[in-house]
Amino acid sequence: MAIEKIDAGLLQKAFLAGAYNLERNKDYINELNVFPVPDGDTGSNMSLTIMAAAKEVGALSNPTIEELSKTISSGSLRGARGNSGVILSQLLRGFCREIKDKKEITTEVLADGFVRGIETAYKAVMKPKEGTILTVAKGVAEKAVEMADKNVSFEELGEVVLAYGDEVLAKTPDMLPVLKEAGVVDSGGQGLMEFLKGAYNGLIGKEIVDVKATATSAAPKVSVSSEDIDTSHITFGYCTEFIILLEKEYNMDIEMKFKEYLTSIGDSLVVVSDDEIVKVHVHTNHPGLAFEKGLEFGQLTNMKVDNMREEHREKVIMEQDRAKAAEVETTKPAEPPKEYGFVAVSVGEGLDQIFTELGVDHIIQGGQTMNPSTDDVLSAIEKVNAKNVYVLPNNKNIVLAANQAASIEKEKNVIVIPSKTIPQGIGAMIGFEDSMSVEDNEASMIEAMGAVKSGQVTYAVRDTSIDGKEIKTGDYMGIDDQGIKAVGTDITEVVKELIKEMSDEDSELLSVYYGSDVTEEDAEALVAVLEEEYPDYEIELHPGNQPIYYYIVSVE
C-alpha cells in the first residue's frame, strides 16, 4: 500500500534510519576531503551532529510530531560540529519549524519543510557557496516541491527526489574547480544524501535495522581509563588516545606489530579492537608518530593528547589546597561578573599557555582533528564569569558552531571574533584593549586579526593533484589561508617556500610555533635558516606542542 501520510511514529523511524545510514558511511564521506591532510572530518562532524539528535529521538516513547520536532532541532543544534554539521543542523531546524504544528505530514508539508530548511541554512552561512551541501539541499527541495504538486505517493516522491539529489551532487565538481581537480564530489552534499537515503529506506521499510538501539549506543563500547596510572615518575610526557576507524586489513599479527611499534616510542600501552575500530592509549613523547602509524590502518577520531607532567604538577597543588579551597568556597560570596571574558579554541600545551598569558579565561581543546560542538562552546561561555564574552574559534570549521552558540546564549553578551587560525586568534587577543567599549574592541580585534597571514606545515595522507601540484603520500605540505603553496620531501625547504609565498614588502614579523613532533633543536635550526633568508624580519620561536602540524607560522 502506498504511503500517503507520515505520522509521528513513521517520522521517528525514518529520522533514526537516516541518522544510522549517515553514521555508517561517515568514513567514506571523510575520504572525500579535498585536501590530503590528516584531518578530513566532514563525515565525522555530520555523524556526531546527527547522532546527538538521534540519541534523544531514540529515547522518546510514542512522541508527537511536535515533540519530535523540538528534540531533533535542539539535539542537532547543540551537537553541531564543523561547518557541515552546523549547516545540517540548520536544515533540520528549518524543516522542524515547518512541521511542528502538524498532526501528520503530507508530501506538500514535506516539500514545504525542505524549502524552509533551505531558507534557514542559507541565512546561517555568511557567504553561501554553490557546489556544496547547500546546493544539493536546494536541488532536493526544488524537486520535492515539483513532485508534491503532482499529488504522488511518498514512494514516488522519494525515488525521484533522491535520484535528482544524486544528479546535483555529481555536478558539484563542475561548480567548484577545487573538487574537480581533486576528483571528488562535495563531502557535505554526500553526507546529506546518505542521511536522506537512509531516511527513505526507513520510511518504506527497506534495510530494516535496530536503528533506535544504534542511535542510543552509537559510541564504540570500548574505553580506556588512565585514572589509576601513576604519573609520579614520568618518562613519556603525553597521554595519547585515539580511535582508528578501520579501513584496511587488521588481524592479530598486524596488531602485534602495531603494539611493538607503539612500545618502541612509549609505554602504558593499551590497544583494544573489534571488527571496525581500534582504541589506542599510549604514553609517548611523540604523539604525532602514534597518530601517523594509526593512519596506516584507517581514519582517526576521538584524538586526545594530555600533558601528564603538567597535569601531575597541578594535581599535587590541588591536593594540597583542596581542603582549604573547599572551606573558603563555602563562605565566599559569589564574585560579581567582570566586564570582559574570553573563550578560545586551541590544541597543544604551548599554544594553550600563550592564550592564557594573553588573558583567555577558558580554552576549548579542539581544532582540525576534532571540531568542538555548539554545546562545547556554550559550556565554555557559561564557565566565564563576565558580562561580555569574546569567542575565538581559531578555525574556519568552528566559526559557524561558535555563532550558533552565541545565538543560543541569552544571559551574556557573546561576541564571536571570526578567527580562522591560531595566529589570527593570537593577533585578535593582542588587539584587545580593556579601556575600550565592546563594539570598539570587536572592531579592533578583527582589524588586528586581518593583519595576520597564517600557514601550517603537515604531511599528505594520500596521492592527489591539487592547486596544480602533484602530491605523494608522506610529502610535506605548506598550506596558507588560500591553499597549498609548497610541497616537497624536505621540511625546511617547504617551510621556506611557504613563507616566501606569504611574505610581501610590508612584512616585518615572522612567528613560528613548532609542534609536538619537532624537537627544540630542529626548530632552532630552522629559525637560523630563516634568519639568513629574512635578515630584516623580527623572528619569534614558540613551542606550540600541537599534533599533526609540524609548524604553524604567521607573517605580519
Side-chain angles (χ1 to χ4, degrees):
M1 181 180 293
I3 301 173
E4 303 294 342
K5 296 179 181 178
I6 298 175
D7 60 14
L10 203 48
L11 177 62
Q12 182 183 36
K13 179 182 177 183
F15 176 80
L16 291 174
Y20 170 75
N21 200 55
L22 176 53
E23 196 275 336
R24 187 176 61 177
N25 290 286
K26 65 179 182 291
D27 296 342
Y28 169 66
I29 299 165
N30 284 337
E31 292 173 359
L32 297 176
N33 188 43
V34 169
F35 292 107
V37 295
D39 58 17
D41 52 6
T42 298
S44 296
N45 282 336
M46 295 184 77
S47 174
L48 287 166
T49 299
I50 203 73
M51 295 311 287
K55 183 176 181 180
E56 297 181 25
V57 170
L60 294 176
S61 179
N62 299 319
T64 63
I65 288 180
E66 184 178 6
E67 289 171 333
L68 277 173
S69 298
K70 182 178 180 181
T71 304
I72 292 170
S73 181
S74 63
S76 61
L77 191 69
R78 289 181 172 273
R81 295 174 186 267
N83 289 352
S84 54
V86 171
I87 292 172
L88 178 60
S89 75
Q90 291 297 315
L91 289 169
L92 292 170
R93 188 182 187 189
F95 177 80
C96 289
R97 282 178 173 174
E98 185 65 31
I99 69 168
K100 66 179 180 179
D101 296 327
K102 306 295 189 293
K103 299 298 181 185
E104 54 189 9
I105 299 172
T106 62
T107 54
E108 291 82 2
V109 172
L110 182 79
D112 290 343
F114 283 173
V115 170
R116 189 157 182 183
I118 287 296
E119 293 171 351
T120 304
Y122 267 87
K123 288 177 183 176
V125 180
M126 187 169 296
K127 294 181 180 179
K129 186 180 294 185
E130 296 306 324
T132 66
I133 181 176
L134 291 171
T135 305
V136 177
K138 183 169 64 175
V140 165
E142 290 172 349
K143 184 59 70 172
V145 170
E146 177 186 325
M147 292 301 296
D149 289 341
K150 296 180 179 180
N151 195 28
V152 297
S153 67
F154 274 100
E155 289 93 338
E156 294 173 281
L157 181 143
E159 289 181 6
V160 173
V161 166
L162 291 176
Y164 186 70
D166 281 338
E167 286 182 29
V168 176
L169 178 64
K171 294 176 182 176
T172 55
D174 297 326
M175 304 177 207
L176 282 177
V178 68
L179 294 177
K180 180 173 285 254
E181 187 175 8
V184 296
V185 296
D186 178 67
S187 54
Q190 183 73 58
L192 176 63
M193 291 307 300
E194 296 301 336
F195 169 71
L196 292 175
K197 288 175 182 177
Y200 176 70
N201 287 336
L203 184 68
I204 65 174
K206 186 179 178 182
E207 293 185 10
I208 299 297
V209 294
D210 187 4
V211 289
K212 183 175 291 191
T214 302
T216 56
S217 58
K221 293 186 176 180
V222 293
S223 62
V224 179
S225 173
S226 57
E227 288 294 320
D228 299 323
I229 296 175
D230 180 16
T231 59
S232 58
H233 301 288
I234 300 172
T235 302
F236 299 99
Y238 296 96
C239 176
T240 304
E241 297 182 14
F242 56 96
I243 291 175
I244 307 172
L245 306 172
L246 289 174
E247 299 171 341
K248 299 181 180 178
E249 181 182 4
Y250 186 86
N251 53 39
M252 289 300 297
D253 290 338
I254 293 173
E255 182 168 296
M256 288 302 298
K257 292 178 181 178
F258 183 35
K259 288 180 177 178
E260 287 174 7
Y261 174 79
L262 294 175
T263 302
S264 73
I265 63 169
D267 64 9
S268 299
L269 176 65
V270 180
V271 176
V272 183
S273 62
D274 63 15
D275 293 339
E276 297 181 349
I277 69 165
V278 179
K279 172 78 179 191
V280 179
H281 168 281
V282 63
H283 292 177
T284 178
N285 287 328
H286 300 286
L289 294 179
F291 291 150
E292 193 165 348
K293 192 67 176 178
L295 283 166
E296 293 181 8
F297 308 113
Q299 294 283 331
L300 303 188
T301 187
N302 290 34
M303 301 164 71
K304 184 166 77 72
V305 179
D306 294 322
N307 186 316
M308 295 188 299
R309 295 186 180 95
E310 183 65 20
E311 286 185 354
H312 183 61
R313 184 185 69 80
E314 293 176 355
K315 183 178 179 181
V316 171
I317 294 173
M318 288 174 64
E319 290 284 350
Q320 293 172 344
D321 293 344
R322 183 175 294 170
K324 180 179 177 182
E327 181 181 349
V328 170
E329 198 63 34
T330 57
T331 58
K332 179 178 167 185
E335 292 186 7
K338 58 183 180 178
E339 194 66 25
Y340 298 115
F342 304 89
V343 170
V345 178
S346 177
V347 56
E349 176 198 0
L351 298 174
D352 295 352
Q353 185 175 344
I354 290 172
F355 279 116
T356 300
E357 290 173 353
L358 288 171
V360 171
D361 299 281
H362 189 86
I363 290 173
I364 305 173
Q365 292 298 322
Q368 281 296 95
T369 53
M370 177 54 82
N371 297 149
S373 68
T374 299
D375 210 32
D376 291 334
V377 180
L378 271 174
S379 178
I381 292 169
E382 290 169 1
K383 292 174 182 176
V384 178
N385 188 25
K387 299 175 184 176
N388 304 286
V389 181
Y390 293 90
V391 177
L392 302 166
N394 298 334
N395 186 293
K396 66 181 181 181
N397 214 28
I398 305 174
V399 174
L400 282 180
N403 286 334
Q404 195 151 270
S407 70
I408 296 172
E409 172 61 40
K410 302 303 180 186
E411 295 183 3
K412 299 172 184 176
N413 179 34
V414 180
I415 307 97
V416 177
I417 305 298
S419 52
K420 297 180 179 178
T421 65
I422 290 288
Q424 284 186 358
I426 292 172
M429 285 301 300
I430 293 173
F432 176 82
E433 175 56 57
D434 193 59
S435 62
M436 293 197 300
S437 69
V438 175
E439 295 76 15
D440 287 345
N441 263 315
E442 179 179 7
S444 175
M445 295 171 78
I446 291 175
E447 181 180 1
M449 176 184 78
V452 179
K453 297 178 183 177
S454 308
Q456 51 212 6
V457 176
T458 186
Y459 57 93
V461 296
R462 68 171 186 272
D463 295 351
T464 189
S465 173
I466 193 167
D467 291 345
K469 295 178 172 59
E470 292 294 327
I471 301 168
K472 301 297 182 183
T473 302
D475 280 352
Y476 296 112
M477 299 182 297
I479 308 169
D480 72 358
D481 299 327
Q482 277 73 49
I484 299 175
K485 297 299 183 182
V487 177
T489 56
D490 185 313
I491 194 168
T492 298
E493 291 303 314
V494 169
V495 175
K496 285 171 58 180
E497 181 65 23
L498 173 63
I499 293 172
K500 179 181 176 182
E501 291 289 331
M502 293 168 60
S503 301
D504 57 34
E505 58 184 14
D506 297 323
S507 301
E508 299 176 344
L509 173 63
L510 170 61
S511 299
V512 179
Y513 307 87
Y514 61 93
S516 57
D517 288 329
V518 178
T519 65
E520 183 177 3
E521 292 74 19
D522 286 345
E524 289 176 344
L526 172 66
V527 167
V529 172
L530 295 176
E531 285 175 338
E532 289 186 13
E533 196 82 11
Y534 301 97
D536 296 330
Y537 282 26
E538 178 183 350
I539 301 179
E540 297 180 350
L541 178 65
H542 306 277
N545 303 108
Q546 69 274 2
I548 303 297
Y549 294 94
Y550 300 108
Y551 292 101
I552 295 175
V553 298
S554 66
V555 176
E556 301 175 56

